[in-house]
Amino acid sequence: MAEEALIVIDLQNDFCPGGALAVAGGDEIVPLVNDLIRRTEHVVLTQDWHPAGHSSFASSHPGKQPFETIEMPYGPQTLWPDHCIQGSLGSDFHSGLAWTKAELVIRKGFRPAIDSYSAFFENDHTTPTGLAGYLKERGIDSVTLVGLATDYCVAFSALDAVKQDFKTTVRLDACRGIDLSGSLDAMIALMREAGVTLEDHLSD
């Protein structure tokens, strides 16, 4: 299975219960993700890695509240609570995650003026992270995505993976969503239309 990689998206403290941008049940997926890590030869992690005062934080825009949307030069941007600030406890991987097997950690969201949901591109959809090149150079043509959150960083990563010609699977049972105004159903539909294989082993 040398041609397949597991990409674990943002399984960090701030996205787990008790964190600054907690995803309900975010920590529940850790045992399943660890099982997938054990069974996969190539493992890549992504890590949200924001400088303090990042432009996607509501606190950087006077009068704005978290989860409001503003227009940025690259398009609409949801504003978030301050989260995953570089070097903070919140930016650390969940303490239960068996992360040491990872061959690569892709940090994203470190450019102050642009947010980054996808493991492959910044939110302008043109600035690459280098992940596609890394995987292709390693001879990897299939990726399975797990992690947080289903309807944001996982979905955007999956859509970009398909565009970069990777055979792409999302294990929905190893993800959890935020679901802002129906975003979960909308992004699952978009992934399905784009050709992402959606697996949910809980419903088997």
Side-chain angles (χ1 to χ4, degrees):
M1 296 294 286
E3 303 83 23
E4 185 176 345
L6 178 71
I7 304 177
V8 181
I9 304 288
D10 297 359
L11 201 35
Q12 295 164 261
N13 290 328
D14 268 346
F15 295 124
C16 291
L21 185 48
V23 179
D27 53 346
E28 297 169 0
I29 64 173
V30 172
L32 178 52
V33 171
N34 285 345
D35 189 46
L36 292 167
I37 288 172
R38 275 190 289 276
R39 293 191 276 124
T40 308
E41 186 176 349
H42 300 294
V43 179
V44 173
L45 303 182
T46 69
Q47 188 175 25
D48 224 26
W49 196 247
H50 294 305
H54 192 269
S55 61
S56 69
F57 294 166
S59 61
S60 298
H61 303 272
K64 295 293 183 185
Q65 297 299 315
F67 310 113
E68 288 186 35
T69 301
I70 63 167
E71 280 297 321
M72 297 289 270
Y74 51 86
Q77 171 66 52
T78 301
L79 296 177
W80 304 107
D82 292 22
H83 66 281
C84 294
I85 292 169
Q86 296 169 356
S88 68
L89 187 62
S91 71
D92 286 349
F93 294 119
H94 185 282
S95 61
L97 181 66
W99 59 267
T100 54
K101 189 177 174 183
E103 299 174 357
L104 178 71
V105 176
I106 287 277
R107 285 180 167 159
K108 58 193 185 61
F110 56 80
R111 292 178 175 88
I114 186 167
D115 205 7
S116 183
Y117 297 154
S118 169
F120 293 92
F121 288 93
E122 305 283 340
N123 282 7
D124 60 2
H125 306 296
T126 56
T127 305
T129 64
L131 179 57
Y134 174 85
L135 294 173
K136 287 172 181 175
E137 202 168 292
R138 301 289 307 280
I140 292 165
D141 59 10
S142 300
V143 295
T144 296
L145 290 99
V146 298
L148 305 171
T150 316
D151 40 341
Y152 282 89
C153 296
V154 174
F156 278 79
S157 298
L159 294 170
D160 280 343
V162 169
K163 287 180 192 154
Q164 297 295 305
D165 299 320
F166 292 100
K167 183 171 176 287
T168 306
T169 300
V170 171
R171 278 286 299 266
L172 291 172
D173 51 333
C175 301
R176 291 292 183 273
I178 298 176
D179 204 14
L180 287 180
S181 310
S183 56
L184 190 56
D185 286 345
M187 293 308 287
I188 284 174
L190 271 181
M191 286 192 283
R192 192 170 278 125
E193 286 164 23
V196 176
T197 301
L198 300 174
E199 294 184 3
D200 187 348
H201 292 228
L202 289 178
S203 60
D204 286 355

